[in-house]
Amino acid sequence: MRSTGRPVIGITGNFKSEDCLLLLAQAYVEAVAGSGACPVIIPPCPDARTVETTLDRLDGIVFSGGADFSPEYLGEEPLPTGKFSFCPERDASEFLLMRAALERQMPVLGICRGEQLLCLAAGGKIWQDLPSQTGSTIHSQGGPRNEASHGVDILPGTLLEGILESKHISVNSFHHQAVREVPPALRIAAYSEDGVVEAVESAQFKPVLGVQWHPEHLTLTQSVNRKIFKWLAEEAALYRTARTIQDKAVSIDFHCDVPMFFDGDYDIFDGGTNARGNMESGLKGGQRQEQVPSRVDLRRMRLAGQDSAVMAAYIRQGRRDWDGFKAAAAKAESLLKELHDRVARCSDVAGIATTPEEIIELKKQGRTAVVPGLENGYALGLDVNLVDRFAGLGIAYVTLCHNGHNDICDSAYQCECPEHNGLSAFGRTVVHRMNRRGILVDVSHASERTFYDVLECSRTPIVASHSSVWSLCRHPRNLKDEQIKMLASAGGVMGICFYGGFLAEGRETTIKDIVAHIRYVSDLVGTDCVGIGSDFDGGGGVIGCDDSSEMVNLTRELLRSGFSEVEIVKILGGNFLRLMETAQSQALKI
């Protein structure tokens, strides 16, 4: 549990190896302390475990200026011109530290060398020696740091413009390396008069900023530069609050499709193969290399403070005959057993959970809870007794259908050509059996008529595990206002889906769209009816929340949007826990 009080911001120190000295200009410490944060100096230490422990105690980080980057980190031969000051110990340590901080979604401010490090760590390039490679003359290492030497134009609509509330400022210059190529995860925020990149920032709504100049030395003479450190302190405080809420809450992703990757080279701990515990492989910002395109694994969930996820065995619909049904049931059973086996191999950090009590207990133990689910009732064929078989494998819910009608119900994707006009007679039998086994009935993917039939038929509250709001995006998979009202009145819950096509029409979607859907449901019926169903690995993922390591960003955005801690705890997982408990306790009375 993080303590309350001022946010703690780390500042990387320079290292003079020949004298074993840790060096840092006092201006950094004064600028951070003056912003209302608590400064802590971080010495170079290229050890992954040490980096992990250090970041556990920080709420933000400043990567300071200092030594040049060795050409080997740039993939280049050393230039014969220019005076260089290399520090390989610092290079090794700070690349590891930057990558880990970015993957944790931590607020980051890079200054001079720190801006260049940010660019390199995210996959960009820098000039090894700006004067000799570009002919630039206004950037110098000889001028006083507390005096402005040239102007900077700030691009409109950038984070930096919002921080400084200005389109042009005068800055100092004390460098000869600079950003050359900006990677996709970043965008340019400012240029100097000669066209050199003077600032970069996150292109993904994250609190990440790098500036080429030294604002810490200008805070006494230019109040505008104090705003940069004030921004960092505010973001660090918000990050601390988000992490503290996640420490208290039991966070549950209602729906992801991890078992889809079990046929490939997938490690449930780290996505790839034999990469467990390897923080060096976890470069965030567009460079993490994976052997499968999965968006979920236990390591990333733990980084984001994500306590639990329903990992659903998705069954592709085939022929609706005896052979097809037999194959579908066998596939579902195989995937669910494989899920149990893979989690068991990571028993020190995770466990299978089938009840709310087990989810809560695993969190207390510091382990991640994996909840099995089944997507597409086609796997039941025409045999209601298969509900009992899958109940024995711990499923929390059955999504009644997918993108096509089956023998249980009509699908939203074929709503104009219904087969059963909602729930079939067999489907009603299935719903009643699920009620008796304490298995939630999931109406995501179901047609509107099916939705209402299930509400009428089910004796326990139902779930729409990964559905969004029709009024904000008119897709047949989304729920209309009347459906949401009926779901809420029956004690049900919907998990907002992160799939872009369900969030907005005809444009790129971002984390702000997820929050807009959550806000809409909250305003319509209250926060007791809404949660999160990412659909990661089934198509879900947007800018700012594109995999499980970025789920903390959603908590941060909910705070920005004015949701209270009590409301966020419900949204993150409290509502799903309540729903599970209700379905399982009422099953004993049916």
Side-chain angles (χ1 to χ4, degrees), residues 139 144-150 170-175 198 212-218 222:
H139 303 273
R145 299 192 187 191
N146 60 354
E147 294 180 8
S149 61
H150 64 280
S170 295
V171 302
N172 55 14
S173 179
F174 202 83
H175 63 92
E198 285 278 350
Q212 183 64 61
W213 67 92
H214 281 268
E216 75 282 1
H217 285 285
L218 294 172
Q222 293 184 9

Side-chain angles (χ1 to χ4, degrees), residues 6-259:
R6 292 191 298 166
V8 178
I9 294 178
I11 310 170
T12 60
N14 205 358
F15 184 64
K16 191 174 180 182
S17 56
E18 59 268 26
D19 295 324
C20 297
L21 293 176
L22 179 64
L23 306 173
L24 183 71
Q26 181 67 16
Y28 288 106
V29 175
E30 293 175 353
V32 169
S35 71
C38 178
V40 174
I41 301 174
I42 306 173
C45 182
D47 174 74
R49 295 294 181 188
T50 301
V51 165
E52 185 176 356
T53 303
T54 299
L55 292 177
D56 282 343
R57 290 156 172 77
L58 298 181
D59 305 304
I61 188 167
V62 175
F63 288 88
S64 64
D68 299 312
F69 288 101
S70 172
E72 69 178 279
Y73 280 93
L74 313 182
E76 299 175 0
E77 292 295 320
L79 293 176
T81 58
K83 181 179 180 182
F84 297 95
S85 175
F86 301 134
C87 183
E89 298 93 342
R90 189 177 183 189
D91 288 345
S93 174
E94 290 191 0
F95 268 98
L96 182 59
L97 188 64
M98 174 66 84
R99 290 164 179 167
L102 291 175
E103 191 166 37
R104 285 170 177 251
Q105 316 304 312
M106 183 174 285
V108 169
L109 172 62
I111 294 175
C112 194
R113 168 193 163 91
E115 181 217 26
Q116 298 155 24
L117 173 68
L118 174 61
C119 179
L120 289 172
K125 297 182 179 179
I126 69 170
W127 297 107
Q128 189 179 153
D129 182 58
L130 189 65
S132 64
Q133 290 181 293
T134 70
S136 174
T137 59
I138 66 172
H139 303 273
S140 163
Q141 288 191 288
R145 299 192 187 191
N146 60 354
E147 294 180 8
S149 61
H150 64 280
V152 167
D153 293 316
I154 301 167
L155 299 184
T158 57
L159 169 67
L160 184 61
E161 183 193 36
I163 294 169
L164 299 181
E165 300 177 298
S166 178
K167 290 182 170 57
H168 183 88
I169 62 171
S170 295
V171 302
N172 55 14
S173 179
F174 202 83
H175 63 92
H176 69 98
Q177 294 187 328
V179 171
R180 181 175 184 173
E181 294 180 14
V182 178
L186 302 174
R187 65 178 182 177
I188 297 171
Y191 289 101
S192 61
E193 297 164 353
D194 60 355
V196 170
V197 175
E198 285 278 350
V200 297
E201 63 187 40
S202 171
Q204 302 167 333
F205 299 97
K206 299 177 183 181
V208 174
L209 175 66
V211 296
Q212 183 64 61
W213 67 92
H214 281 268
E216 75 282 1
H217 285 285
L218 294 172
T219 55
L220 294 179
T221 57
Q222 293 184 9
S223 61
V224 68
N225 280 280
R226 289 199 289 271
K227 294 180 179 180
I228 293 176
F229 292 95
K230 182 175 183 292
W231 162 81
L232 180 64
E234 290 173 349
E235 287 293 341
L238 188 65
Y239 181 80
R240 168 180 284 238
T241 301
R243 287 290 189 179
T244 300
I245 289 174
Q246 290 191 248
D247 286 344
K248 296 177 181 177
V250 178
S251 53
I252 305 172
D253 182 352
F254 292 11
H255 184 89
C256 64
D257 288 288
V258 165

Side-chain angles (χ1 to χ4, degrees), residues 271-339:
T273 300
N274 298 323
R276 184 171 181 176
N278 184 11
M279 286 183 60
E280 293 90 333
S281 71
L283 175 54
K284 197 63 192 154
Q287 291 298 300
R288 187 172 189 268
Q289 299 299 314
E290 299 179 65
Q291 294 178 315
V292 292
S294 173
R295 286 182 162 87
V296 182
D297 56 53
L298 297 175
R299 186 185 67 85
R300 282 182 282 183
M301 289 177 66
R302 292 168 69 81
L303 277 173
Q306 188 71 18
D307 300 308
S308 178
V310 179
M311 296 188 178
Y314 161 68
I315 304 303
R316 185 184 300 276
Q317 191 154 317
R319 294 184 338 192
R320 289 165 61 186
D321 56 22
W322 191 87
D323 288 337
F325 294 151
K326 182 180 178 182
K331 180 67 173 179
E333 187 169 9
S334 172
L335 288 174
L336 290 168
K337 287 182 176 178
E338 181 70 12
L339 180 62

